[in-house]
Amino acid sequence: MRFLRAIGFRRWDWRTCWREFDFWLAMGTLLLPFGFVLLLLQWEPVRVRVLRRR
């Protein structure tokens, strides 16, 4: 654990990570290249029928 701290790794703080610029940079890097796929998908409601076995 000391080695990881020595090279710059620190514990991830889940509550405040979204406030940092690095978080949004990573999200943009991951989501922007695949954003067109989300636009191409046609989201439609799905009907599910649940039947009870007797």
Side-chain angles (χ1 to χ4, degrees), residues 12-43:
W12 186 263
D13 188 10
W14 291 102
R15 285 176 250 136
T16 60
C17 68
W18 60 272
R19 295 180 185 167
E20 296 182 17
F21 176 73
D22 293 340
F23 173 79
W24 292 110
L25 183 65
M27 288 297 109
T29 303
L30 294 172
L31 295 177
L32 285 177
F34 302 106
F36 71 93
V37 175
L38 294 174
L39 293 174
L40 293 176
L41 293 175
Q42 293 182 359
W43 297 100

